[in-house]
Structure formats: C-alpha cells, structure tokens
Amino acid sequence: MFDGARPWTISDRADGAEPERRPIPPRRTDEVVQAALSHLRRATRPPGLRARWETRRIIREGRSLATLDDNALVRLVRTQAPLLLDRGFRGRPLRIAAAGIREMTRRKLGLLHHPVQITAGLALLRGQIVEMATGEGKTITALLPAILVALTGTPVHVVTVNRYLAARDAETLAPVLGAFGLSHGVITDETEHHLRPAIYDSDVVFSTNSDIAFDYLRDRIAHGADRSLLAVMARRVLAKGGARDNRRILTRGLGFAIVDEVDSILIDEAQTPLIITSERPGGDAERAGEDQMLALASTLEEGRDYRLDRKARRIRLLPGADDILNGIVPSDPRLIPDLARREALTQALSALHLYQRDEHYILTDDGLAIVDEFTGRVMPDRQWQSGLHQMIEAKERVERSGQRVTLAQITYQMFFGRYLWFSGMTGTATEVARELRLSHGRAVIRLPTNRRVRRRLARTRLFGTADRKWQAITRDVRRITAQGRPVLVGTRSVAASELIAARLRAAGCDPVVLSARQDADEAAIVSRAGEAGRITVATNMAGRGTDIPIAPDIEARGGLHVILTEFHSSARIDRQLIGRAGRQGQRGSAAAYVSLEDPLFQDMTPGLARAMAWLSLRWSGRLPAPLAELLRNVSQMRSERRGRRRRSDTVKRARKQEKALGFRPDNI
C-alpha cells in the first residue's frame, strides 16, 4: 500500500509479536524496470505535485478548526484514525487529521507548519525521502507522519544519528504527542536494558539507528533457540493473556520509521555491518604473536615487500614478504599455517600505515575508541574485525581487548527493509538519489526553502601548501571575529582541530574545540557557537542535526561565518557543514580554504598528481579558484564512485551471508 517500488510480504514474527516486513531480494531486471518507470514518472509529472496540491487543501481545512477547543480538536482528529489506513492515508480524513495536528502544534509549541513542512510530512507518510535545506524545521515536520501513523495503532520509530538529537526531539515534541493521548519514550545507549521493553511499548519511540538495530539483533538472539512451532504457539497464548516475555525487547514489531539524516545512515554507514559478538579474551601467546608481526611489519619496505592502496585501504603482500614469513618461528601457535601468518602480517601493515591516531581513532582512559569519519563522533563498543583492532592496540601500547566472535549481524539496508515502510529526511539527498532509489526503493523529493536563502558563499581558496592555508584561516578568523561575528571552523579530523586551535591561541584567540574528545559537551558547545566573537573549531559532528542560534544583532553584522578547512570525499558532507550558516533565511556566509597537500587532492591519478606537485613548487601561494573547483569535482566523483562500488559489494556479501547463516529472513 505504501511502497510499490519493491515486492514484499508480511510474515508473522517468530515470537508472536506484531508482523514485520520480510523483503524479497530484488532481481536485476526488477531494478532496471523500476529505474525506467521512475524516469518516466519524473518526465510526465513534476515530483511532489500531488503533495503540494494536498498541502493547499490542508491549509484551507485548518482555517475552520481554529475555533475548536483542544478537546474537540483531539476528538475530531482521532475519529479520522480508523479511516486513514483504509484509504491509504489519502482523501479528506487525511486532510482533516493533518490540519488538526498542525493547529495543535501551533497551540502547544507556538509553531505553525509552513507549506514546505506540510508537503514534506505527506511525502514522509508515503515512504519517500525528503531533501529539506538545513534549518527548515525537520523536527516538527516529523510530527505529521508520526502522529498520523501512531493514531492507527502502528508502532512508530523516529530515528536520529545520536542520542542528543533523540532526547532533544522527544522533549520538543512531547506536548503535541501528549495532547493527542500518545505515549512516547527515548532509548539511547544510556537506557538500562530492563527498562527498554516498556519504552518500546510506547506509541512513538525516539532513538538512534544503532540502538534500535542492535536491540533487534538481541531480540533475535534471545529467541534463537525457541523457534519451534510449539514455542511460538505458547508465546502467542501468553501474549493474549497479557503476560510479557521478559527476554523480548521489540515487543511491538517494526512498523513505521522516520529516519533523520537518512543519507548518513543508509549511504555513509552502509559499509559498516552491525554485529553482536561475544568477546574471547586473548592470551599471552596471542599478544606475543601480535607484537612479533608488528615488529616484522615495521621492517618491510613498500614496493619491495608489499603494495599499499590507500584509496581502497588495501595491502597486497609481494613475494619478498612471503620469503620473510617462511623464515620466522611464530610466537603464537595460531600463526603456524601460512594463510594465518599472511593475514596477521597484512593487519599489522594496515595498523601501521592505513589507520592513524586522531584521525581514524583516539586514545581514551578506556583504551582505543574508533572515530566515525563521516560524523566525527566516537563509536563506542565497536571494534575493527579480524584482529586489526588488537594490532592497533599493540601499536599504541594500550591494554588489549579480546577478539570477538560474531553471534549475529545485519546491515542497515537489511534492517530498515524489515519495517512495514519507512521514510527519511536529510539536507543532502540529491547526490545519492539514484542509489537510494535502486538499493532502497525510496524516491527522493527535493523541496524548496520556505524563505529565500541569504547565505553568501565565497570563492574557494586553494593554496599550494597546508602551512599557507592555516595562515590564511588564522588571519581571516581574527578579522571576522573582530567584527563581532561568530565563526565555525570545520575540520575532518581531531588532529586538524587541535592544529588550528593551537595556531589560533598563538595568535591571541580563544577557540572552543568540539571533536570526538569533547562529544559529551556537544549540546553546550553548540548552543553557544552563535555568540558574538565566538570561535568554534569542530569536526564533522557539527555538520548534521545541529542548530546554532543566532541573535538578531549578530545577524545584522552578517551572521555566522563557516570556514571549511578541507574538502570531504563526499560533497554531501561539505554541504551539511556550509548549511550551518544562513539558516531559515538568516544572513550568513561560508568559505572554503584548501591546499594541494590535503588528502583528497593527494588521491588523484598519477598524471594529475604530478601536475599538481609541479604547480605547488612553482606557486606555493594561492592558486586560481576555478582550478580548486575542477580538482574538487574530479576527486569527489572518483571517491564517491569507489564508495558506491564498496557499498554494492557490502550488500552482495550480506545477501550471501543470509543464505549461509541461521540468521536469515525466512526464520526470524
């Protein structure tokens, strides 16, 4: 009813809970046909035309509801609920219910959904992905579909990328949800396990993508041994009697999900499978073997013993390395087989050359913590696989964790495919619209801003060396803050944040750093980032979901100024950071300062790299802006093409594993 892009079936949950969707893996011919039909629809009908028509009628319908008191308004909306599912969330019942929610939002929050938000809400209701510019109010946009679906008795999950946003959205929307008699709850990594079943019984649950997905996996593991017909019948009898199975977590099934920053979850996180493991403590022999391989790897020479592909993060051993491996006596008995020694040496070389401190990971009081390269946030309780994590711990000389054995795993694509239907919001979906349509069956609709964008974007400044770039950034930060304007300096790594912060302090400035080391103070730092003369140095974690408030007097001086210190491999991440300035029609500005020594420009074809090296020697100062844009487009296109290929390989591997493992769709 809601998703015609891919055939699907409804299967009873093995634990007797509500049904969930079981995707049928699409064939290549299906994907080609769907792509052709999508092109035909776009050519014959403007996207979102029906939604915009309904928006105007909802606004007209709402004028007659302003005279009703709160109780009458709630009764009117709730009487439409039985008709919503029957009519496929269309027609007059939808318009009346949506208009009532809009009016109640105005009364409880002082905010009235503008036309763009209504159109977006209707698109979300029908399982589309909506691209809304940053600052357009995605939080209250989610109210319309969340309440409309929850009123039908279907469980609703509002999925965000971090716990701060989940708690913030729940607190913001609670008055409206409560007005309609809907319960809500928040689940984060801090929520205790025994409290989760009751929270999942709420009408609307706010949580992060990882929390919900891992709870789903835990639920599958808990019932892994009780999938017999007799066990299923017994649980259904108990469920009808009102008893609760204490092992069960997702008691209401996977109904409807609204995924915020959907491109980050379905695209950027697509290569990271969600895995539940049990830890196997490492012994002295294993540690000795890791140290031995790490010491051996440090003596090898690139080009003679191995080849290094930094683009694909891959290492290939050459015959010279094989001769060295054959001549050693392994300290760990597990490394006696040739294949095991080769894999251990490859991981040791990867730890030395492909994974760098303060870029891919940081050191904390608890040991090694992985940093998400797309968000800049720490990913707690995650490990690299196949011994790589322990090899990096050995390199950094920190306490080593045990290797983990996989109990269950799933990808985000497979997980969200199990919802009856889902939709998503983001500020950057256009670049990956085709991939979202083919891989996830989601149509993308791009909506205009409610107010004219007044952000000024300066021409890109390209420098021959990184030192010249940092000098220019320091100089311009001092100049802009002297005008009483706040500045947000965006970096790609913790190391870069600390470098520019040190330079600013040496120049007499007082920057505040927001990176993986300070993620616990994120809310407080972001709330003050718009103050006059404030300098905030932040990694990508300030690029998504953060709202930096700007006072009217600061806007009059020009508003927030955003400085991009390095292009990301994905243009979407750059757009997210630039979008922090000039939100909701406010004044603001942004500028990009890059150098030929940045990793993105180093990741070019050999011929182009040699030409850039020659230019850098001839002209170490500032280079023409058109050259910067050309290099940026070429490098980002190559990087995103490799990313699409890796994501496609991840999906193929996941489908093969579903057939090979006991954890597969037709028995869960």
Side-chain angles (χ1 to χ4, degrees):
M1 178 170 57
F2 307 102
D3 181 8
R6 180 177 296 176
W8 54 278
T9 62
I10 296 292
S11 64
D12 285 337
R13 289 279 303 272
D15 55 6
E18 292 191 9
E20 66 187 35
R21 172 178 169 174
R22 186 178 71 201
I24 299 174
R27 294 171 297 183
R28 180 60 184 165
T29 53
D30 295 332
E31 294 179 346
V32 172
V33 170
Q34 289 299 329
L37 291 175
S38 178
H39 284 297
L40 180 62
R41 282 194 294 267
R42 288 201 306 273
T44 57
R45 185 181 65 187
L49 180 64
R50 181 182 179 88
R52 288 195 288 270
W53 173 78
E54 285 185 314
T55 296
R56 291 193 291 268
R57 300 197 65 176
I58 288 171
I59 293 174
R60 286 199 298 268
E61 198 81 52
R63 294 169 187 157
S64 62
L65 305 181
T67 58
L68 299 178
D69 60 27
D70 288 359
N71 292 332
L73 186 62
V74 169
R75 284 196 301 271
L76 177 64
V77 172
R78 294 189 72 91
T79 56
Q80 310 305 314
L83 305 174
L84 293 176
L85 275 178
D86 293 339
R87 301 193 181 185
F89 289 100
R90 298 183 186 279
R92 193 159 188 269
L94 170 66
R95 295 194 292 271
I96 294 175
I101 295 169
R102 181 175 184 248
E103 174 64 21
M104 186 62 74
T105 304
R106 181 188 68 80
R107 297 179 186 182
K108 298 299 181 182
L109 302 182
L111 301 171
L112 188 66
H113 290 83
H114 54 66
V116 172
Q117 291 171 329
I118 299 175
T119 303
L122 296 177
L124 292 173
L125 189 64
R126 286 157 190 159
Q128 295 177 313
I129 289 176
V130 176
E131 178 177 308
M132 298 176 67
T134 52
E136 288 299 297
K138 298 185 187 71
T139 301
I140 69 166
T141 297
L143 259 183
L144 284 175
I147 294 178
L148 287 170
V149 175
L151 288 174
T152 66
T154 305
V156 176
H157 295 162
V158 179
V159 183
T160 63
V161 292
N162 61 68
R163 65 187 181 191
Y164 160 67
L165 295 176
R168 183 202 68 181
D169 291 355
E171 181 181 2
T172 301
L173 304 181
V176 185
L177 294 171
F180 287 102
L182 297 173
S183 59
H184 75 282
V186 181
I187 289 181
T188 67
D189 55 350
E190 297 179 339
T191 306
E192 295 184 19
H193 184 82
H194 69 279
L195 299 176
R196 298 191 177 211
I199 298 176
Y200 275 118
D201 283 343
S202 302
D203 297 306
V204 181
V205 176
F206 296 84
S207 186
T208 66
N209 48 294
S210 59
D211 278 299
I212 290 181
F214 277 118
D215 281 346
Y216 176 82
L217 286 182
R218 294 186 190 104
D219 197 21
R220 301 300 88 223
I221 292 173
H223 292 90
D226 294 324
R227 289 177 179 153
S228 66
L229 179 60
L230 183 61
V232 171
M233 293 175 62
R235 279 194 295 274
R236 287 179 176 173
V237 170
L238 288 173
K240 291 179 180 178
R244 179 192 296 277
D245 186 342
N246 292 327
R247 295 168 304 169
R248 191 162 62 234
I249 298 173
L250 292 175
T251 55
R252 298 194 63 208
L254 303 179
F256 174 56
I258 303 172
V259 185
D260 192 17
E261 306 298 351
V262 66
D263 61 318
S264 175
I265 296 173
L266 295 185
I267 301 297
D268 300 336
E269 291 278 345
Q271 300 171 56
T272 307
L274 304 168
I275 303 174
I276 288 186
T277 60
S278 62
E279 187 166 309
R280 177 176 55 80
D284 294 337
E286 293 182 10
R287 297 188 185 94
E290 292 159 1
D291 292 334
Q292 181 185 27
M293 286 299 168
L294 203 60
L296 177 61
S298 64
T299 65
L300 301 184
E301 182 180 333
E302 184 179 355
R304 183 193 67 188
D305 302 313
Y306 64 91
R307 293 195 186 281
L308 188 63
D309 186 354
R310 288 185 172 83
K311 301 175 185 177
R313 282 194 189 168
R314 187 182 304 125
I315 287 178
R316 182 166 65 90
L317 298 181
L318 299 178
D322 291 332
D323 295 338
I324 296 174
L325 281 173
N326 292 333
I328 68 169
V329 178
S331 303
D332 182 0
R334 297 179 310 141
L335 301 182
I336 292 177
D338 292 341
L339 185 61
R341 285 204 303 274
R342 286 177 58 85
E343 182 179 1
L345 182 59
T346 300
Q347 298 292 37
L349 288 167
S350 299
L352 288 174
H353 303 296
L354 296 180
Y355 293 86
Q356 305 302 321
R357 187 200 303 181
D358 293 339
E359 182 177 353
H360 303 105
Y361 62 91
I362 62 173
L363 298 182
T364 67
D365 294 337
D366 298 325
L368 195 76
I370 299 175
V371 176
D372 187 343
E373 65 174 309
F374 294 101
T375 65
R377 292 184 170 87
V378 169
M379 298 190 290
D381 300 325
R382 289 201 185 182
Q383 273 195 7
W384 285 295
Q385 293 180 281
S386 304
L388 175 61
H389 198 89
Q390 288 71 30
M391 206 64 81
I392 297 176
E393 289 174 332
K395 179 184 78 169
E396 297 293 347
R397 301 184 183 279
V398 299
E399 184 179 353
R400 285 173 228 183
S401 55
Q403 290 199 23
R404 300 182 178 181
V405 180
T406 299
L407 300 178
Q409 68 178 32
I410 196 171
T411 63
Y412 280 124
Q413 179 178 16
M414 295 296 181
F415 171 66
F416 284 106
R418 302 195 193 288
Y419 279 88
L420 298 186
W421 82 106
F422 76 92
S423 56
M425 300 181 289
T426 181
T428 49
T430 304
E431 294 90 340
V432 290
R434 183 175 183 274
E435 185 172 356
L436 289 169
R437 183 177 67 252
L438 294 180
S439 299
H440 303 278
R442 304 293 104 182
V444 174
I445 174 173
R446 185 177 186 179
L447 297 176
T449 57
N450 185 50
R451 298 177 181 174
R452 180 175 62 89
V453 177
R454 300 170 64 194
R455 181 191 314 116
R456 293 182 293 105
L457 187 60
R459 301 184 73 179
T460 300
R461 303 179 186 184
L462 175 63
F463 298 88
T465 64
D467 186 64
R468 292 291 184 96
K469 175 184 74 172
W470 298 121
Q471 289 178 14
I473 292 173
T474 303
R475 182 178 60 251
D476 285 0
V477 167
R478 293 184 62 190
R479 176 178 57 83
I480 294 171
T481 53
Q483 302 170 4
R485 296 177 59 191
V487 176
L488 173 64
V489 182
T491 65
R492 278 193 62 179
S493 67
V494 176
S497 294
E498 294 175 348
L499 172 63
I500 186 58
R503 283 179 172 263
L504 289 169
R505 292 189 186 101
C509 300
D510 184 23
V512 177
V513 178
L514 174 60
S515 67
R517 297 191 195 279
Q518 299 84 19
D519 59 354
D521 303 322
E522 177 180 355
I525 294 175
V526 168
S527 65
R528 300 189 59 191
E531 296 177 357
R534 184 88 166 181
I535 304 172
T536 306
V537 179
T539 53
N540 295 330
M541 62 194 306
R544 285 189 183 271
T546 53
D547 186 10
I548 300 176
I550 302 295
D553 60 322
I554 295 176
E555 185 193 355
R557 300 173 198 157
L560 176 69
H561 181 68
V562 172
I563 292 179
L564 192 79
T565 63
E566 185 180 338
F567 288 133
H568 200 277
S569 57
S570 170
R572 293 178 294 108
I573 312 300
D574 297 337
R575 280 214 290 149
Q576 287 281 355
L577 183 62
I578 291 172
R580 299 308 102 192
R583 296 161 64 93
Q584 300 179 2
Q586 294 179 334
R587 294 176 64 189
S589 58
Y593 298 70
V594 296
S595 79
L596 292 175
E597 296 179 358
D598 292 346
L600 181 69
F601 295 144
Q602 295 293 315
D603 182 21
M604 293 183 291
T605 57
L608 191 55
R610 285 193 295 270
M612 293 304 101
W614 179 83
L615 271 178
S616 179
L617 291 174
R618 292 292 302 270
W619 195 354
S620 61
R622 184 173 167 183
L623 282 72
L627 177 62
E629 291 301 319
L630 174 63
L631 294 176
R632 173 192 183 181
N633 291 334
V634 170
S635 299
Q636 287 182 336
M637 285 175 59
R638 287 169 54 84
S639 178
E640 290 176 349
R641 192 184 312 116
R642 287 195 300 270
R644 285 194 298 271
R645 193 180 306 120
R646 288 195 296 266
R647 289 189 291 270
S648 176
D649 292 342
T650 300
V651 172
K652 291 176 182 177
R653 285 195 301 270
R655 288 174 180 168
K656 288 181 180 178
Q657 286 170 345
E658 282 188 338
K659 296 177 181 178
L661 300 176
F663 178 76
R664 45 180 219 268
D666 39 355
N667 64 7
I668 62 175

